[in-house]
Amino acid sequence: MAVMQPPQTPQGCTNTSIEGTVKQAPLPNPDNKPYLMEKANYASRFPKLTIKKTKEGGSTGLELKQLVMSGLIRADEYRWDFHWDYKAEVCFDMASLPPKPFLSSSWLGDDVKPDPDRRHTLFPFPKGSVKGLLRRPDVIIVKTRSIRWPGQAGTDHQGVAHPNNLERLVEVKFPGDVLGMAQREAYLDIAGGPNRFSVLEINDCRDDGERERDRQYNREHKPTGEFDPLQWPVLLPPFGNPGQPPRPAPVPVPVYGPTPTPRPARVESWTQQVQEAVEGLLEQGAHGIRKLSREMQQHLEDAATWLGVKGEWIRRESQKAWEWVSETGAKVIHWTDEQLRAVWKEIQRYTDLTLDMLQQVDWVQVLIDVGVVITTVVIAIAIGAALVAAGVPAAIVAGFLVIVRLAQLSWALLASILGGAAITAAASAG
C-alpha cells in the first residue's frame, strides 16, 4: 500500500503560506508589516480576471490581487473618514518636486477657498494630470493619521500649504511584478529619499494541497460576518496537510475601525468566485447580486430585476425619464433625469469620476461592504486597462449601475443630461 507523502514546501520558502519580505528601507513600525500582510495574504488568492470589452470588442486581462489589496485598505480609509495611517494608490503629480498628491476635486467646496483637509483623489487619472507624469504607489504610510495630506511638505494644486506627512512609501510586489528603474526613481522622489522607500515582496509559498484547500473553500464560501478566526470552518485532508491538525480555511481580513461598530464589515463573496471571463455590469448579472449579503441585496433589488430579466431601457422624452420594461411589460423601473443628475453628483463626490471616464467604464462589481453608519460599499470599476477601487454609499450603487448601463446604450444623450449643453455639443461632435 502506497504511503501518502506530505506536500513539499516550494523552493525558497520557509513554510506553505503567503510570505512577505521587506526590502530597501525597513518599515517604520513593527505593526506595519502584519497589517499589510493581512491584506496581501487575502489578495494573493485571487486570479487574473479577463474582462470582455463592451465597446471595441476583444478582452483585457487584469490582475485582481492589487485591486483587492487596495480595496481592503481603502475600506479602512472610508471607515476612518480618511483619517487613517495607510492610504492606497495615491496619485502624485511628477511635474513638481517634491511631487504633489492630487486631492479630491469634489471636495473643493462651493466657495472659492478650497478645503485644506480634503482627502486624496480616488480617481486614477485626475484632472490636470499629464501622461507620463503621473504615479500611483501602492501604499503611503502617513506620520499623523489626523492629517489627510499624504505627501511631503509643500503646497497642493490650489496653493494651500501642507506639512510633511509622508512617513513611508511602500510598493507591494506580487509574484511576477518587477520594480523598474524609472518607477524606483519616481518613488524615491515621492518618498523623499531611500530611507523612506520600502518594497514589500510577496511570495506565494502554498503547496498543491494548500491551493486545493483554498479552491474547495472558495467553492463553498458565503458572505462573511465579523472577522473571528475561531468561528471559521476547517477543512480536513486531503485539503489540509496530512499528519497535521486541520487549520482554519483562508478567511477575509478584518476592516479596522472605531469600536463598537454598528455592524461588522464584510468582504462580499463574489471576489473568490469570479470565473475565467466576465462581461457586462456584474459578473453573472442578477445571480451575482443574489450571492451578496442580505443588506446589499436590498440596496440592489431593482438592479437585480433589470440585470436578470430580459427587457430594454426606453427613453420617455415627454417625461424626461428612462424606463426599463421587461419583455412581458410586467416590470417597470423608472429613473427621471433629475434623479440621475442627483445620483451622479453623489457619485462624483465619492469617487471623483468624470464624464470622460464614465464613457470608458466596461465593468463594475461590488467588492467590500463596510459596516458604518451610512453603509459604504467599495466597488471595483474597470476603466480601459485600469481597475479602480472606489467607495460609494450603498444607497446609490443601484443608481450608479443604471448610469453605467445608460452610458453604454446612449452616451450622447446621457452626457447631455448629466453635464449640460456644453457636453451635448462635445458628445454630438464625437
Side-chain angles (χ1 to χ4, degrees):
M1 180 177 178
V3 178
M4 181 180 294
Q5 296 296 323
Q8 297 298 309
T9 301
Q11 186 175 2
C13 294
T14 60
N15 55 47
T16 55
S17 64
I18 309 298
E19 294 187 353
T21 303
V22 178
K23 296 186 176 181
Q24 309 289 324
L27 294 172
N29 189 295
D31 293 334
N32 295 148
K33 184 178 178 182
Y35 173 87
L36 295 172
M37 285 305 301
E38 283 177 334
K39 272 56 175 171
N41 190 315
Y42 189 58
S44 293
R45 304 173 189 277
F46 294 96
K48 190 172 185 177
L49 181 66
T50 300
I51 295 177
K52 296 179 180 179
K53 309 290 280 185
T54 57
K55 300 174 183 64
E56 65 273 14
S59 60
T60 301
L62 298 169
E63 285 286 354
L64 283 176
K65 295 177 178 62
Q66 190 58 60
L67 172 75
V68 172
M69 183 160 186
S70 296
L72 290 167
I73 295 173
R74 190 147 287 170
D76 293 339
E77 292 187 72
Y78 280 106
R79 200 172 180 84
W80 283 89
D81 194 25
F82 292 88
H83 292 111
W84 185 236
D85 305 86
Y86 305 85
K87 301 184 184 298
E89 298 195 13
V90 175
C91 293
F92 282 88
D93 185 357
M94 304 305 296
S96 60
L97 194 66
K100 295 180 180 181
F102 282 97
L103 302 182
S104 171
S105 59
S106 301
W107 284 29
L108 287 175
D110 296 329
D111 54 5
V112 177
K113 188 177 180 180
D115 178 4
D117 191 40
R118 65 193 186 279
R119 59 159 168 76
H120 61 93
T121 183
L122 308 181
F123 188 57
F125 312 107
K127 184 177 181 179
S129 61
V130 178
K131 187 176 181 179
L133 294 176
L134 176 67
R135 291 286 183 177
R136 288 189 300 273
D138 293 330
V139 183
I140 297 295
I141 303 175
V142 297
K143 292 177 177 291
T144 305
R145 68 165 61 171
S146 61
I147 299 175
R148 288 195 178 107
W149 173 259
Q152 297 183 56
T155 59
D156 59 33
H157 289 86
Q158 283 69 45
V160 178
H162 299 270
N164 180 16
N165 199 37
L166 194 156
E167 182 69 42
R168 186 74 81 252
L169 184 155
V170 183
E171 183 67 4
V172 181
K173 292 300 182 185
F174 289 97
D177 294 342
V178 178
L179 179 66
M181 183 61 69
Q183 186 182 40
R184 183 179 185 278
E185 292 301 319
Y187 287 172
L188 287 173
D189 287 341
I190 293 172
N195 61 332
R196 297 168 70 180
F197 171 52
S198 303
V199 177
L200 178 60
E201 288 190 356
I202 307 301
N203 296 308
D204 189 346
C205 296
R206 295 174 297 163
D207 55 36
D208 291 341
E210 190 83 357
R211 293 171 192 272
E212 180 56 36
R213 185 174 72 90
D214 286 347
R215 284 190 288 268
Q216 175 72 8
Y217 178 74
N218 292 348
R219 286 192 290 267
E220 300 174 357
H221 186 57
K222 305 297 182 185
T224 66
E226 187 174 6
F227 181 79
D228 182 357
L230 298 178
Q231 299 300 318
W232 296 102
V234 296
L235 296 175
L236 298 171
F239 304 115
N241 288 337
Q244 295 182 5
R247 290 174 292 164
V251 297
V253 299
V255 177
Y256 295 84
T259 56
T261 57
R263 63 181 176 81
R266 56 170 63 87
V267 179
E268 297 287 5
S269 65
W270 78 269
T271 45
Q272 289 195 354
Q273 296 176 342
V274 292
Q275 307 300 311
E276 289 299 317
V278 296
E279 57 184 324
L281 288 174
L282 285 162
E283 187 254 330
Q284 299 183 36
H287 178 69
I289 290 178
R290 285 192 290 270
K291 288 182 176 293
L292 300 177
S293 64
R294 184 174 300 173
E295 293 90 346
M296 275 310 303
Q297 289 184 45
Q298 292 173 350
H299 287 297
L300 295 173
E301 184 176 356
D302 283 352
T305 298
W306 63 263
L307 282 168
V309 179
K310 288 186 177 180
E312 62 178 332
W313 285 96
I314 299 172
R315 175 66 179 172
R316 305 294 189 193
E317 190 60 39
S318 62
Q319 302 175 29
K320 298 299 180 184
W322 292 86
E323 285 184 352
W324 179 87
V325 182
S326 70
E327 282 189 337
T328 64
K331 296 179 182 294
V332 176
I333 296 169
H334 189 86
W335 279 85
T336 66
D337 292 354
E338 185 177 353
Q339 289 173 322
L340 290 174
R341 281 191 289 267
V343 168
W344 176 240
K345 186 176 180 179
E346 286 298 292
I347 291 167
Q348 288 186 300
R349 170 173 168 77
Y350 285 93
T351 67
D352 299 321
L353 195 65
T354 66
L355 275 173
D356 288 341
M357 288 297 102
L358 174 63
Q359 188 181 18
Q360 300 179 44
V361 172
D362 282 302
W363 175 77
V364 178
Q365 184 55 279
V366 175
L367 175 64
I368 299 169
D369 177 11
V370 186
V372 292
V373 176
I374 300 177
T375 304
T376 299
V377 179
V378 178
I379 55 177
I381 309 171
I383 303 176
L387 271 178
V388 184
V392 297
I396 67 173
V397 173
F400 182 42
L401 297 182
V402 170
I403 285 176
V404 171
R405 175 54 57 87
L406 294 180
Q408 295 171 346
L409 296 176
S410 185
W411 167 249
L413 179 55
L414 180 70
S416 70
I417 292 169
L418 300 181
I423 297 295
T424 308
S428 301

